[in-house]
Each structure stands twice: as structure tokens, then as C-alpha cells.
Amino acid sequence: MGSIEESAAARAKADFHLWGMTPHNRRISAQIVVEVARRKGEEPEQWVLDVAEGRLPA
């Protein structure tokens, strides 16, 4: 697992953004991305996990 700084940098370079007008909504979006990826047998990007779990600001 990388540092929060690495996750923040990866988020800045990401090809997509989390949808939502509030941090709470963006965190929920991240949780949905994590759930969908795992159901497909994939692991989401670390920055998405960090947002979903509250380690990186949404």
C-alpha cells in the first residue's frame, strides 16, 4: 500500500473523477466503484480505496 501522498498524486492523474456535489457523495461514489470492481474480480485503484475508506479527502 502506498502513502496518502502517492494516492493523492494518482488521483490527480486519474482518467476519471468521482461524481458528487459533496464530499459525502463522492465517498459513496468511491464505495460503489470499489464494490463493482471487486464483483468483477478486479481491485480498484488505491486512491479510490483511500477515498472510500476515508483516508483521502473526498
Side-chain angles (χ1 to χ4, degrees):
M1 178 168 34
S3 70
I4 294 302
E5 292 82 16
E6 290 171 335
S7 286
R11 181 180 186 179
K13 295 177 185 176
D15 293 336
F16 67 96
H17 299 282
L18 298 172
W19 188 87
M21 294 191 67
T22 66
H24 176 76
N25 288 345
R26 288 187 293 276
R27 179 161 291 126
I28 291 171
S29 293
Q31 291 168 346
I32 292 168
V33 170
V34 169
E35 180 66 27
V36 169
R38 288 184 172 161
R39 286 184 183 202
K40 293 167 102 177
E42 302 169 357
E43 192 61 22
E45 295 181 48
Q46 185 61 46
W47 73 267
V48 178
L49 284 172
D50 289 339
V51 171
E53 296 174 359
R55 291 187 297 267
L56 187 64

